[in-house]
Structure formats: C-alpha cells, structure tokens
Amino acid sequence: MPELPEVETVARSLVPQLQGRIIVSLAKLDWPKMITPPPAEFTALITGRRIETVGRRAKWLLLTLDRGWTMAIHLRMSGHLLVTEPTAAHEPHVHFALELDNGRCLIFNDQRKFGRVHLLDQQGLAALDRSHGPEPLTDDFTPDTLAQQLQHRRAPIKTLLIDQHLIAGIGNIYANEALWLAGIHPLTPGAALSPEQINHLHRAIRVVLQEAIANQGSSLRNYRDSYGQRGSQQEHFNVYDRAGKPCPRCQTLIERIVVAQRSTYFCPLCQRGMQPVT
Ligand SMILES: [Zn+2]
C-alpha cells in the first residue's frame, strides 16, 4: 500500500497536470461504492469545479476545489491515478474518471477496488484531519511530539508507528526501515523507549521518509506516479523484505517476525532486545 512518500510523490506529479483545471464531467464510474456522496449528488457537486491545488494529508491525496470542497482520494492496496487521453478510461481496471477542460482525463485504475474518493466539505475535511496524528515531516513534529504520542503506550513500537491516529503516513515499509536506522527492536513497547531512543527514532523517521520521497517512493506492485513512472526506493531497503540477507551495517542475517499480522524485518544485532517498561 502506498505510504507517505508514495502519496506525496503522486501529489507532486499531479500538481502541474491538475492545478487550475476545470472538471468538465464524471466521465466514468463503474464501481459506485468507491465514492461518497452517491453518484448523482457527487456529479452535481463536482461538475464545473476548478481544481485549486493538489496536496496530501497522511495517505490521502487532497484535491482542493473551488467553493470550499475537497476531493480526498485514498489509493489503498492497488490504486493508481493517471492523467491521460480519454480513451484510457475504457480500460478494464479504470473505475473512476474525471474529464478535464484541456481534453485529458484523471483516471483511477484500481484492480482490487479498495480505493476511495470522498467529496468533503470543510467539516468533513476537518474530521479527516482530526482522525490522523501529526505529519512527521513538518516542523511541528519534534522528538517531544513523538514522545507524547508514545506515552503510556505498551503496544510494540512497530505497531504504534503504523497507527495513523498517532503519526500520519507511516506504513509497514517505512516503520521497518526507521526502526532499523534507529537501532530499536520492533517489539519494544512504545512507553519503554528512552529519550535517546526517541531522538534516534524521530530522526530516523524523517530520514527514511525524505530519502524515499527523493527516490519517488517504492514501487513494489502497482505503485506509479501520475505519469506512470515507477519509484526506486525499493532498491535501497535495508531490512524490508530482506529476511535471510545480511544487514548492511553489521552483516548479521535479517530476521522476519509477524507483529500485529504484519511482516516485520529487523537485524537481531543492531536492534537488540527489548527494554522493560518502566
Ligand atoms: Zn545489523
């Protein structure tokens, strides 16, 4: 599933293609469950709207429209967005397409149909914002912020890092990579991290996310930017999906365990045991 760096990359690739464009029509919708409100209302609200900006909150793409509306798009498992010629809207896995005033289409290709498009008013946007933790790449996200979010949390730090209510945008890949970079065992309870470990983890989260953005994200399955280009961060993983391969830092073999039903990779030497909760 795309995480913060992939969604950020898609948002940045959409800006020059969508900013200032007018939505002429809902050109295709063959999976009505993916949108809210229902199709008739959705169509009435978006037709003729101007796309002011394209941004991101957590793993949501946000198309800010005029008249106070925001189109929030979640790519989920297999979704990707492309700006293309209108004929591409007829492809079998394209379930949603918007016709733009320059003759091109924004198409949502989603083989597994988990993707979502919600049209939000100001209140809806505020609710989406409130349901997510702080953005880890903003200046507001400090080691103190991270410490506050982990306070009294006894769940494994790996599980806490991917909880969107605590910190926005981190998923399985970058949680694994950040914990390796910080030298923290994934099963360590959040509340057991020392101030020094919090500092290391804070820095590691920002480093791995920034590096991934610089490489246009990780393309494992379907992920592409809105020009159809793959990212290359998957060529730089230190632990993710590298079970049995040597740790780039100490050559110890990477291990895989399952934490909260998610594959978790770590170096048993660099990320030594847990500290007891104090
Ligand atoms: Zn190691």
Side-chain angles (χ1 to χ4, degrees), residues 38-263:
E41 191 182 344
F42 185 96
T43 305
L45 287 169
I46 61 159
T47 302
R49 297 281 63 74
R50 183 175 188 271
I51 302 170
E52 307 275 11
T53 60
V54 183
R56 178 192 60 76
R57 173 73 171 112
K59 300 178 193 172
W60 289 90
L61 282 158
L62 301 178
L63 274 55
T64 306
L65 310 182
D66 62 358
R67 301 198 190 169
W69 293 95
T70 300
M71 193 179 293
I73 302 174
H74 204 301
L75 302 171
R76 296 280 182 88
M77 301 298 286
S78 61
H80 58 271
L81 290 168
L82 289 166
V83 180
T84 67
E85 299 302 319
T87 48
H90 303 305
E91 289 170 13
H93 297 305
V94 172
H95 302 301
F96 174 93
L98 297 176
E99 180 190 1
L100 305 171
D101 63 339
N102 60 352
R104 293 177 72 79
C105 266
L106 173 67
I107 66 170
F108 195 165
N109 184 311
D110 189 10
Q111 190 166 2
R112 298 184 63 182
K113 299 184 178 178
F114 290 118
R116 291 294 178 264
V117 182
H118 299 309
L119 194 59
L120 305 175
D121 59 13
Q122 300 286 356
Q123 283 186 332
L125 183 62
L128 182 142
D129 185 50
R130 279 197 306 275
S131 67
H132 293 86
E135 286 289 329
L137 293 180
T138 60
D139 292 343
D140 293 344
F141 184 73
T142 64
D144 282 347
T145 317
L146 179 59
Q148 276 168 23
Q149 297 300 85
L150 301 178
Q151 221 173 15
H152 311 307
R153 302 275 179 174
R154 288 170 184 255
I157 184 62
K158 165 68 199 310
T159 306
L160 296 172
L161 282 181
I162 62 178
D163 182 340
Q164 299 302 297
H165 298 99
L166 296 180
I167 306 168
I170 302 174
N172 204 33
I173 292 174
Y174 300 108
N176 277 292
E177 292 292 317
L179 288 169
W180 176 83
L181 190 58
I184 295 170
H185 193 288
L187 290 176
T188 312
L193 295 180
S194 67
E196 188 187 11
Q197 286 179 309
I198 298 263
N199 281 335
H200 288 321
L201 181 57
H202 172 265
R203 184 172 173 280
I205 288 168
R206 290 163 74 108
V207 167
V208 299
L209 295 176
Q210 280 162 345
E211 185 189 66
I213 291 171
N215 287 317
Q216 284 82 47
S218 305
S219 285
L220 298 182
R221 298 183 197 92
N222 310 66
Y223 163 72
R224 303 284 188 277
D225 73 11
S226 67
Y227 295 102
Q229 302 292 313
R230 289 167 61 87
S232 63
Q233 185 60 25
Q234 69 281 1
E235 295 159 19
H236 305 281
F237 291 158
N238 291 302
V239 282
Y240 182 79
D241 203 21
R242 297 194 67 245
K245 295 181 178 155
C247 166
R249 205 157 38 197
C250 74
Q251 310 307 312
T252 304
L253 299 187
I254 302 295
E255 292 184 8
R256 174 186 177 275
I257 55 174
V258 176
V259 181
Q261 295 158 14
R262 305 299 300 274
S263 288

